[in-house]
Amino acid sequence: MTDHVPDLFTDGVPSRGGVDRPAETDRPPPPRVWTVRQVNRASRLLLEESLPRLWVGGEVTNFRRQRSGHCYFTLKDEAAQLRCVMFRREASRLPADPGEGMKLRVFGGLTLYEARGVFQLIVSKLETEREGGMWKLAFDRLRARLDAEGLTDPGRKRRLPAFPATVGIVTSPTGAALRDIVAVIARRAPWLRVLVRGTRVQGVGAGDEIAAAVSALAEVRGVDVIIVARGGGSIEDLWGFNEEAVARAVALSPVPVVSGVGHETDVTICDLVADLRAATPSAAAETVAPDRQWVGKRLDGLSRRLGRGLAGQVRSRRWWLDQLGDSLFRRGRRRVQASRDRMDAAGLRMAAAARSRIRREAGRLSEAAAALDALSPLSTLARGYSVPLDHDGRLLRRAEDFPRGRGFRLRVVDGYVPCAVTGRPLSAAIRAAEQTTGDDRDQ
Amino acid sequence: MTNDVGLDARLKRIEEIVASLDSDTLDLDEALALFEEGVAHLGHARQMLSRTELRVEELIGSEGDTGDMRVADDGGEGEAGDG
């Protein structure tokens, strides 16, 4: 498009160099008339040449991201406003759009948009005065959203398999992180199968690649756990791991995911959503690979327990037998005891019977003794009787046993008395006979 | 169970056997059979543990194809590379 200047204004229009033409008449020269375009062009050049690129601080308002990718906003303070534009190339590196009213500092050059005569700042860098900057802002926003959805909830974290068979790894195929991980697994658990899905781990689009790699590995049969890893770097380098796509892929993975991104101090969105966050790629490998020695000890333990288990089975049988034997023995002993008890009881009864019998017998004995005593001649003697005995101790009972002149002994209660018959003994029969004779004679 | 059974499954099975031997009252034949099965698993597991070379494969394309992958055990690039 060439400059089109109406005839009316042809005179007095400054040439491109701005050199005045000499006046041809004495009429006052018509005013020099600039085209709008010329004015805007001149102003733009003046602005761009006289003011260096600079940092401007202010509050953002009306931030709009066009479909084209360009961003427009106004920076203002209490007294003034400045229109700003951030073109797609720069805007695409912006991790987050600033919020209304946010204090920003932007770096750029002043210019004039000739087509509309608008004075504006072309922004190449945009920073917030908040701590952590726009990265932090983007991080915090995404985190808040994921928190609200529960994707960072500790309750969602799954336990890692204690003895995985296949480990999936998402990282750069040529990076140090992969070498570190492989070295750790080779040392600790070389029986594992390691399946790598290589991706870019930084730059625009890295997040989508990482997310796709997680999903692809999760689909593979036999993969028990996935490590997402990257070595250290700036927050910008690590940005791929802070992207929403990665968070979604990790959250959706049917197998547990361990995140080992950056160094100890770097925390990424991927770390927060993962089932386990390891400080470094090597640490991630250690959480996944059981240590060979530990597994060996575990096997030793199981081996011992297996042996003990079998021994226990045998022992429990023996125990059972012992129990059976014991119970038989106890039963037998009980029977013996019962017999013994019965015998004891009988013995006691017998003894009691014997004692009472003895008592009874003793009573009878003493009665008998008393009776015997009563019959004893001694008691008769004690009553005053005495007993005549010949020299041989024979009892002399009848009158005819006492012929005249016979010596005999008289047993009295306390001794013997020597005696002799001095008269003619007279027996009752003799006396009776003599009485009969006497009667006869008397008659 | 055969040789391609994972360590995890083997250890779980051995645990089961031990639990069974510890708590159940089994036929002696049954107990012996379980014991022998456990010993076989232990043998396979130890064999697995004695492997020395780590197998690293790469997942290629979208069909789940894999291929062997060589990972250099040291390299020119450090952490400052692409990570």
Side-chain angles (χ1 to χ4, degrees):
Chain A
M1 196 166 106
T2 55
D3 287 357
H4 174 76
V5 181
D7 289 344
L8 178 66
F9 299 117
T10 301
D11 260 15
V13 170
S15 72
R16 197 151 288 204
V19 179
D20 289 351
R21 278 195 211 162
E24 287 171 2
T25 64
D26 51 358
R27 277 188 303 157
R32 283 174 295 168
V33 177
W34 294 47
T35 64
V36 175
R37 180 192 172 94
Q38 282 170 326
V39 171
N40 283 4
R41 171 71 46 90
S43 303
R44 181 173 73 82
L45 291 173
L46 196 65
L47 269 174
E48 288 180 356
E49 282 161 16
S50 58
L51 278 174
R53 282 152 64 81
L54 40 76
W55 282 99
V56 184
E59 216 173 80
V60 66
T61 184
N62 287 329
F63 188 97
R64 285 169 293 123
R65 190 182 280 267
Q66 305 284 52
R67 206 171 307 169
S68 60
H70 307 320
C71 294
Y72 299 91
F73 58 98
T74 300
L75 214 54
K76 64 172 188 180
D77 57 23
E78 309 79 40
Q81 298 198 348
L82 175 64
R83 306 206 37 183
C84 302
V85 59
M86 195 173 192
F87 292 119
R88 181 174 57 213
R89 215 169 82 92
E90 287 76 26
S92 69
R93 294 209 196 99
L94 209 56
D97 294 351
E100 180 75 15
M102 187 176 283
K103 290 232 189 297
L104 297 180
R105 57 170 175 261
V106 298
F107 182 76
L110 285 161
T111 188
L112 188 115
Y113 179 38
E114 293 177 31
R116 304 180 84 161
V118 176
F119 166 65
Q120 62 186 11
L121 186 73
I122 308 283
V123 175
S124 57
K125 287 184 200 160
L126 183 154
E127 293 177 359
T128 166
E129 288 177 7
R130 282 162 55 110
E131 198 194 328
M134 295 306 289
W135 299 105
K136 180 80 166 36
L137 176 68
F139 182 95
D140 289 348
R141 278 189 190 157
L142 179 55
R143 180 176 186 166
R145 212 161 61 235
L146 297 174
D147 282 350
E149 281 183 50
L151 294 191
T152 56
D153 188 353
R156 266 191 96 253
K157 310 283 181 212
R158 291 164 290 194
R159 280 178 59 163
L160 305 188
F163 303 100
T166 303
V167 178
I169 300 177
V170 176
T171 191
S172 161
T174 56
L178 181 59
R179 286 198 302 276
D180 292 349
I181 290 169
V182 165
V184 168
I185 296 177
R187 188 184 73 237
R188 289 171 67 100
W191 62 87
L192 295 188
R193 176 183 175 223
V194 170
L195 190 54
V196 178
R197 178 70 158 201
T199 63
R200 286 190 301 136
V201 291
Q202 71 185 60
V204 174
D208 289 336
E209 271 190 38
I210 294 161
V214 170
S215 304
L217 276 175
E219 292 272 303
V220 177
R221 260 194 57 175
V223 171
D224 299 306
V225 59
I226 294 173
I227 297 176
V228 179
R230 187 201 190 283
S234 68
I235 187 166
E236 211 170 331
D237 289 341
L238 300 182
W239 194 252
F241 297 87
N242 284 326
E243 287 183 26
E244 184 166 358
V246 174
R248 304 267 167 218
V250 168
L252 279 175
S253 165
V255 297
V257 176
V258 178
S259 176
V261 177
H263 295 310
E264 188 98 39
T265 50
D266 305 318
V267 178
T268 63
I269 290 290
C270 182
D271 288 333
L272 295 173
V273 180
D275 296 284
L276 187 78
R277 183 216 166 197
T280 61
S282 299
E286 278 174 16
T287 64
V288 159
D291 182 57
R292 190 208 297 255
Q293 288 187 344
W294 178 74
V295 179
K297 276 186 191 141
R298 176 102 193 259
L299 289 179
D300 291 346
L302 280 174
S303 171
R304 276 195 299 275
R305 287 172 57 198
L306 206 53
R308 275 205 299 270
L310 185 67
Q313 286 288 329
V314 172
R315 210 168 29 242
S316 79
R317 249 158 217 81
R318 194 185 296 154
W319 180 83
W320 182 74
L321 277 177
D322 287 352
Q323 288 294 303
L324 197 63
D326 277 358
S327 92
L328 276 175
F329 174 71
R330 274 199 300 273
R331 210 170 299 167
R333 201 168 52 188
R334 266 206 303 280
R335 284 176 76 154
V336 169
Q337 187 65 43
S339 309
R340 189 182 292 163
D341 288 350
R342 259 204 323 271
M343 275 169 64
D344 286 353
L348 282 174
R349 272 202 311 278
M350 275 168 67
R355 269 197 302 277
S356 77
R357 179 150 187 183
I358 287 167
R359 262 198 310 277
R360 212 162 51 237
E361 298 298 329
R364 276 173 59 188
L365 201 61
S366 64
E367 277 168 35
L372 212 56
D373 194 44
L375 290 176
S376 157
L378 289 176
S379 55
T380 310
L381 294 178
R383 289 201 301 272
Y385 292 89
S386 55
V387 179
L389 302 167
D390 67 6
H391 292 294
D392 299 321
R394 279 191 302 256
L395 186 62
L396 303 174
R397 338 172 155 257
R398 313 188 66 92
E400 54 193 315
D401 294 333
F402 294 93
R404 191 190 285 252
R406 177 168 196 171
F408 64 98
R409 294 181 301 162
L410 202 60
R411 174 77 169 96
V412 294
V413 71
D414 57 347
Y416 292 90
V417 178
C419 300
V421 182
T422 56
R424 191 173 63 94
L426 193 66
S427 71
I430 296 169
R431 204 175 58 199
E434 284 177 350
Q435 268 177 355
T436 308
T437 321
D439 288 345
D440 286 346
R441 213 182 28 213
D442 292 337
Q443 275 173 7
Chain B
M1 291 200 192
T2 55
N3 278 343
D4 51 303
V5 174
L7 191 58
D8 192 43
R10 285 195 199 285
L11 292 181
K12 277 197 183 113
R13 180 63 187 141
I14 300 172
E15 292 274 11
E16 271 172 25
I17 290 172
V18 168
S20 190
L21 287 175
D22 280 350
S23 61
D24 302 347
T25 307
L26 305 166
D27 275 359
L28 210 50
D29 284 348
E30 219 179 327
L32 272 171
L34 282 177
F35 176 76
E36 278 164 12
E37 188 194 334
V39 169
H41 284 308
L42 279 172
H44 286 304
R46 287 196 204 282
Q47 214 174 338
M48 190 178 265
L49 241 62
S50 69
R51 274 233 295 268
T52 51
E53 203 149 329
L54 179 66
R55 203 166 127 218
V56 181
E57 292 169 61
E58 192 171 11
L59 179 63
I60 305 158
S62 56
E63 304 299 311
D65 296 329
T66 59
D68 282 346
M69 183 181 190
R70 272 203 52 76
V71 178
D73 45 9
D74 67 80
E77 358 163 35
E79 295 278 321
D82 55 358

